Amino acid sequence: MLIHVFPARQHAEVRQVDDLGRFSVVVAGDASEEELERALTPLARLESRTHAWVYIERLRAACGRDDDAEWSQAFEAMVGFAVSKGWVDETGTALRAHLVYESAVG
């Protein structure tokens, strides 16, 4: 699962929702921290130029797959894996994701 962020358009979208074996934020081009924060809101909050905290329930909603029991189970397994690795925030409501910068993301 990838979250594609387009700072110039202040837009973020979840792609490849069936690929629950990977998880990162892909940033189109270069952007300031303020631009990244605006583009990620309300799906996530920026921690640094290398990491963001993605809100679990907002991510689930953005995927639009809650009516698929098998997918929901796999999503919960992904979250459980993140919890086991310590990749959740102190409230347990957000997953830590790496930011990957690409010059051209379509």
Side-chain angles (χ1 to χ4, degrees), residues 17-94:
V17 299
D18 291 325
D19 184 356
L20 299 171
R22 64 182 175 152
F23 183 65
S24 60
V25 175
V26 180
V27 180
D30 194 24
S32 70
E33 287 189 21
E34 286 179 359
E35 291 168 321
L36 286 171
E37 186 74 43
R38 279 194 304 271
L40 283 168
T41 301
L43 189 59
R45 70 181 186 275
L46 191 65
E47 176 185 72
S48 67
R49 291 199 53 80
T50 58
H51 291 94
W53 290 104
V54 180
Y55 301 111
I56 296 167
E57 291 309 313
R58 293 177 187 175
L59 176 63
R60 179 193 299 274
C63 290
R65 298 291 300 273
D66 273 342
D67 59 339
D68 182 338
E70 187 176 327
W71 183 89
S72 291
Q73 185 176 19
F75 183 86
E76 287 302 321
M78 179 189 78
V79 170
F81 179 77
V83 168
S84 77
K85 297 294 185 181
W87 300 332
V88 294
D89 69 354
E90 63 281 351
T91 67
T93 61

